[in-house]
Amino acid sequence: MDKHDKNPEKKPKLLDEVKLIMQENRYSEKTIDAYRSWIKRFIIFNDKQHPLDLSEEHIKNFLNHLVIDLNVSLSTQNQALNAIIYLYKKVLKQELGWLDEIKRSQKQPRVPVVFSRLEIDSIFIRLDGIYKLIASILYGSGLRLGECLSLRVKDIETDFRQIIVRESKGLKDRRTILPECIIPDLSKQINKVKRIHEADLRQGRGETILPYALKRKYPNEGKSFYWQYLFPADKFIKENRTGLIYRYHIHPTTVQKKLKEAFKRAEIRKRASSHTFRHSFATHLLQAGYDIRTVQELLGHKSVKTTMIYTHVLNTGPGVISPLDQNRRV
């Protein structure tokens, strides 16, 4: 019998246990997948030994390996560290009173890639349907792709011109702006979701997953139209925990593929991704004269220091004229 498993027939595997505990604590699926991946890499790095058999030295060696051998960024190393801390403190119930000897990554954050307004127009011309609508929300509201795809019908407040982003980074809700120009297309998409939902209900389905304890508190709420995903997938999937067969949102890779095709046709030579729209949202607001605290709130950044990275894109700042241009004006 495994010395770490008093009841091997009932106790889930370690990575499955990590997933269950993180789900109970309302972590996003993306974070759960990332943490499990880092924990798996940590175990493989240490010759597949059980984490309870490893010392602090093993943990330090792994984190130092990420910096010294793989040259990862500070944010990547921090995510790996957070995953390991979560494993020991929340799953294995072990305290870690160290960190001093870990070699911290010295890799400086890159200046974010930003589209010009002309590039934005060129990209949008080459998109249509829901993909154009999704890109419009990413750029017009500053959402991350995962946040956009996780939107429910009830998160769109057209009367107040707002979008509610629920449980983004840090498990906090926030409100951001809803571009007025996309409201007609959003209304069409919501009506489309309603037709799909009504058809699903007629077939005995139509229930969706609910966050945390709402299912127990409101058993029938999952069948409500307002809880349906704004961008539903074409097919149903099954939730392993409950056996519920439901319609999830469209997969991020599907959107990313369409966006990359549009970037290529628009001849965008920058290293662009779906996240570049969010960078462009922040930078263009600062260029327009909005204060950095407002932009910080709209982006949902915990610290204004994170938002300050976009001022680097503006170089010397709005309103500053190059001396070469000044000489030409004389």
Side-chain angles (χ1 to χ4, degrees), residues 66-265:
L66 295 180
V67 175
I68 298 170
D69 300 326
L70 302 184
N71 193 32
V72 303
S73 66
L74 177 59
S75 61
T76 299
Q77 189 195 38
N78 281 338
Q79 186 182 63
L81 173 59
N82 290 336
I84 293 171
I85 290 175
Y86 191 90
L87 168 67
Y88 278 94
K89 295 185 73 172
K90 301 297 184 181
V91 181
L92 302 176
K93 307 299 182 184
Q94 301 286 315
E95 288 297 327
L96 301 176
W98 50 273
L99 291 181
D100 293 338
E101 296 179 24
I102 295 176
K103 185 174 180 61
R104 310 299 286 177
S105 175
Q106 299 299 313
K107 220 174 178 184
Q108 295 299 315
R110 296 178 179 176
V111 174
V113 176
V114 173
F115 294 128
S116 70
R117 287 177 172 81
L118 287 175
E119 288 172 331
I120 290 287
D121 291 340
S122 181
I123 294 167
F124 278 17
I125 289 172
R126 290 161 175 84
L127 290 169
D128 54 23
I130 62 169
Y131 300 107
K132 183 175 183 179
L133 182 56
I134 289 170
S136 298
I137 293 174
L138 300 180
Y139 172 61
S141 304
L143 269 64
R144 302 174 178 91
L145 180 57
E147 293 172 343
C148 180
L149 298 183
S150 297
L151 290 173
R152 314 280 183 133
V153 172
K154 68 187 189 66
D155 297 330
I156 306 299
E157 296 188 344
T158 54
D159 291 342
F160 295 101
R161 304 293 189 268
Q162 290 182 339
I163 294 177
I164 302 176
V165 183
R166 302 186 188 276
E167 294 195 347
S168 57
K169 278 194 174 181
L171 299 178
K172 293 182 179 179
D173 295 352
R174 76 176 190 275
R175 293 176 182 269
T176 188
I177 51 179
L178 169 60
E180 190 168 352
C181 63
I182 69 170
I183 289 178
D185 288 334
L186 261 179
S187 298
K188 291 178 183 178
Q189 178 64 18
I190 290 172
N191 289 333
K192 178 182 176 182
V193 173
K194 189 171 185 180
R195 291 194 298 270
I196 293 172
H197 179 55
E198 289 172 347
D200 289 345
L201 288 174
R202 287 194 294 269
Q203 295 176 7
R205 292 183 176 174
E207 184 176 356
T208 190
I209 53 171
L210 297 177
Y212 30 97
L214 281 179
K215 172 65 176 176
R216 292 193 298 271
K217 192 173 183 180
Y218 305 105
N220 296 319
E221 196 69 12
K223 293 185 178 181
S224 167
F225 161 63
Y226 298 102
W227 271 104
Q228 303 305 307
Y229 284 104
L230 183 62
F231 300 106
D234 293 333
K235 298 179 181 179
F236 293 90
I237 62 172
K238 183 178 180 180
E239 185 183 33
N240 293 329
R241 286 184 299 165
T242 63
L244 173 67
I245 297 175
Y246 67 102
R247 196 184 291 275
Y248 198 45
H249 59 66
I250 59 177
H251 201 276
T253 56
T254 304
V255 180
Q256 291 164 345
K257 182 179 178 181
K258 290 289 184 180
L259 292 179
K260 286 183 179 179
E261 290 173 359
F263 298 158
K264 186 176 180 179
R265 293 199 305 271

Side-chain angles (χ1 to χ4, degrees), residues 26-40:
R26 297 158 38 189
Y27 282 83
S28 70
E29 289 299 319
K30 185 176 180 180
T31 303
I32 293 172
D33 290 342
Y35 274 33
R36 292 177 77 221
S37 175
W38 281 118
I39 292 169
K40 183 177 180 180

Side-chain angles (χ1 to χ4, degrees), residues 287-306:
Q287 283 180 326
Y290 290 96
D291 67 275
I292 197 163
R293 293 287 183 181
T294 298
V295 177
Q296 174 196 358
E297 186 175 341
L298 293 173
L299 291 173
H301 286 162
K302 185 177 181 180
S303 170
V304 73
K305 291 181 179 179
T306 308

